[in-house]
Amino acid sequence: MSKDEKKEPSYVLGTESDGIDSFDTITALVAADHAHDIKLRTMSWQKTACLLADKADRGVFPSVLGWVPGIITMVLCGILFWITSITMHKYIMKHPHIMDICDFGYHVFGQSKAAYVFSAFMMLANNILLIGFHVLTGAKVLNTLSDHSLCTAVFSIIVAIMGIIMSIPRTLQHVSLMSMFSSACMGIAIILFLVFAGIEKAPLYGSNGNYPTDGPVKTYAFPLPGTTWVACMNAVMNITFIWVPQILFPTFISEMERPQDFPKALAVLAVISAILFIVPSAIGFHFLGQYSTAPAFGSLGIVSYKKASFGFVIVPTLIIGAIYANVTGKFIYTRILGKSRHSHSHTVIGWSVWGIIMVVIWMLGFVFAEVIPSMGDFLSLLSAAFDSFFGFIYFAIAYWQLNRGSLFNGLGRTALTVLNIFIMAVGLFLLGPGMYAAVEAIIADYAGDVAPAFTCANMAI
């Protein structure tokens, strides 16, 4: 394969569907894939739902925002998530050769190679940083469970090695089987946390000190006096982050046997997310109030409660990291091996390249994990830099591409057009003021006491 060919998107240019024969194209793509030793397009919508549900296991407690802005932000993000995801699916159904978010960006921006390169850079940066976040979380879990029995950097290495092992499967069909177990573990962790938060006499600590330094537990409708705009904006972006997994969706759809069924899996995710993001957050905020932390398990006052609930988090931490590694690895793998037989057969070269890619991805994640000063501010930066594009801007443009010439045909279409203009505005707001707030928070972190890189310091919650 020539150098120029390797720079092209992962489908063949000129074969894009115009939407008329998309189902015939999908049938042909599935048939061609099933002729290979390693079959990718095998997931049912139920298996896809399992993968998606793994992304619904995280909750953010709106202690900074208070009840009203916190709940409004969660609900609004959920609505926008559904609309943008459906838009993305409609666009991919019109162009079923799309294999990942890079192909999606290439198409949406008028088959621009610059957009493809930009999308590739952003996807790699986002996913590897998120893998680093999961390495950091895993190290926190092991620190907490073992009472800091080893250097934190050693725990991070252990988590990275475990992540590499769990990333060996090359198909999302196999990863989805692990996701079932992952979701169950996170469900247990959430239930235990809520029970423990309800039965203990008092939480342990909050951002303003140990209980009862900040007074008795209280909840509030709006941000407390003295809360800065940067703190509120970072809280909003933390909530936005948990609602924006769309960077993975094109790859998920490309490995479905019937990609037209993706909305069924999406509906499952929407229902689960609405329950897990809002209900545990509301209950936790009720019991913890201003002492809520991130992760919220750290606010539990009894050590055994904290260990019993937080310990289950290690499973979804690793498996979600493996999902991001799989999506990232496939992009790099295709760039290296292209359409050669090694890319879809059980060859020594194929598996060796895949293994090396996984090692490199997780080691890069490990490095990033060791230099992250604050988990919450780190998520805010990811939300501003990447979710602005992959959660909002890309899909507002996709809507425009799908409906050019009929943007204001009828009341319903006009309402959707106005809503997508709002979606574009949200993306630009996250990219501008949101980025400013995230950077300001990180600067403040480094101005205080920050653990050095590759530290052995105790990072237990």
Side-chain angles (χ1 to χ4, degrees), residues 105 124 202 268 308 354 432 456:
L124 291 173
V268 173
W354 179 260
C456 280

Side-chain angles (χ1 to χ4, degrees), residues 140-148 306-308 310-311 314:
K140 286 178 177 286
V141 174
L142 296 181
N143 259 297
T144 302
L145 294 178
S146 68
D147 295 320
H148 188 52
K306 186 185 305 183
K307 290 183 178 182
F310 195 42
I314 190 66

Side-chain angles (χ1 to χ4, degrees), residues 335-383:
R335 296 298 91 204
I336 296 173
L337 295 179
K339 297 182 182 297
S340 69
R341 67 184 183 89
H342 303 293
S343 66
H344 51 70
S345 301
H346 295 291
T347 66
V348 173
I349 292 177
W351 279 105
S352 297
V353 170
W354 179 260
I356 292 170
I357 290 172
M358 289 300 108
V359 170
V360 171
I361 287 174
W362 279 94
M363 286 301 102
L364 287 174
F366 161 75
V367 171
F368 283 119
E370 291 303 301
V371 298
I372 296 171
S374 168
M375 185 182 297
D377 294 339
F378 175 68
L379 294 183
S380 297
L381 181 63
L382 285 177
S383 181

Side-chain angles (χ1 to χ4, degrees), residues 19 22 29 38 75 107 116 119 131 134 141 157-158 179 209 295 328 355 357 366-367 383 409 450:
S22 60
L29 289 170
I38 298 176
V75 172
H107 246 302
Y116 183 81
S119 300
I131 290 169
H134 286 90
V141 174
I157 292 174
I158 292 172
S179 292
T328 308
I357 290 172
F366 161 75
V367 171
S383 181
N409 287 0
V450 177

Side-chain angles (χ1 to χ4, degrees), residues 80-385:
L80 297 184
F81 159 77
W82 175 262
I83 293 170
T84 54
S85 298
I86 290 297
T87 299
M88 177 205 66
H89 178 255
K90 288 180 178 178
Y91 195 90
I92 292 176
M93 286 297 93
K94 189 175 181 180
H95 306 281
H97 290 83
I98 289 175
M99 298 295 291
D100 51 42
I101 195 67
C102 307
D103 290 350
F104 188 90
Y106 169 83
H107 246 302
V108 162
F109 289 96
Q111 299 186 18
S112 165
K113 289 186 178 180
Y116 183 81
V117 172
F118 173 78
S119 300
F121 170 77
M122 295 289 279
M123 182 197 72
L124 291 173
N126 177 81
N127 290 4
I128 292 174
L129 285 170
L130 271 174
I131 290 169
F133 166 73
H134 286 90
V135 171
L136 173 65
T137 303
K140 286 178 177 286
V141 174
L142 296 181
N143 259 297
T144 302
L145 294 178
S146 68
D147 295 320
H148 188 52
S149 62
L150 291 175
C151 171
T152 293
V154 174
F155 278 134
S156 295
I157 292 174
I158 292 172
V159 172
I161 292 173
M162 294 169 67
I164 292 169
I165 294 172
M166 299 185 76
S167 300
I168 290 176
R170 281 163 62 176
T171 68
L172 288 173
Q173 166 89 347
H174 291 97
V175 178
S176 69
L177 299 177
M178 294 190 290
S179 292
M180 297 179 191
F181 181 60
S182 170
S183 298
C185 287
M186 195 63 195
I188 293 171
I190 291 173
I191 292 172
L192 288 176
F193 165 75
L194 295 177
V195 170
F196 293 150
I199 64 176
E200 69 177 6
K201 293 182 179 180
L204 178 61
Y205 66 89
S207 57
N208 294 325
N210 292 344
Y211 180 88
T213 304
D214 201 24
V217 173
K218 60 183 178 182
T219 60
Y220 31 90
F222 296 94
L224 295 173
T227 304
T228 65
W229 178 83
V230 169
C232 289
M233 191 65 208
N234 275 289
V236 168
M237 288 191 294
N238 271 265
I239 294 173
T240 303
F241 170 79
I242 66 175
W243 272 109
V244 182
Q246 290 102 316
I247 191 172
L248 303 172
F249 288 1
T251 305
F252 289 1
I253 293 172
S254 74
E255 295 199 25
M256 292 183 68
E257 192 165 15
R258 286 179 50 84
Q260 56 267 42
D261 289 341
F262 180 74
K264 297 178 183 178
L266 191 64
V268 173
L269 173 62
V271 172
I272 293 175
S273 297
I275 295 172
L276 291 184
F277 289 168
I278 296 176
V279 175
S281 297
I283 296 174
F285 185 48
H286 170 75
F287 287 116
L288 301 175
Q290 74 275 30
Y291 292 97
S292 298
T293 60
F297 300 93
S299 295
L300 294 175
I302 300 175
V303 174
S304 59
Y305 289 176
K306 186 185 305 183
K307 290 183 178 182
S309 55
F310 195 42
F312 283 95
V313 175
I314 190 66
V315 177
T317 295
L318 289 168
I319 293 177
I320 293 173
I323 292 173
Y324 277 100
N326 185 283
V327 171
T328 308
K330 280 194 173 77
F331 171 78
I332 300 172
Y333 190 79
T334 303
R335 296 298 91 204
I336 296 173
L337 295 179
K339 297 182 182 297
S340 69
R341 67 184 183 89
H342 303 293
S343 66
H344 51 70
S345 301
H346 295 291
T347 66
V348 173
I349 292 177
W351 279 105
S352 297
V353 170
W354 179 260
I356 292 170
I357 290 172
M358 289 300 108
V359 170
V360 171
I361 287 174
W362 279 94
M363 286 301 102
L364 287 174
F366 161 75
V367 171
F368 283 119
E370 291 303 301
V371 298
I372 296 171
S374 168
M375 185 182 297
D377 294 339
F378 175 68
L379 294 183
S380 297
L381 181 63
L382 285 177
S383 181

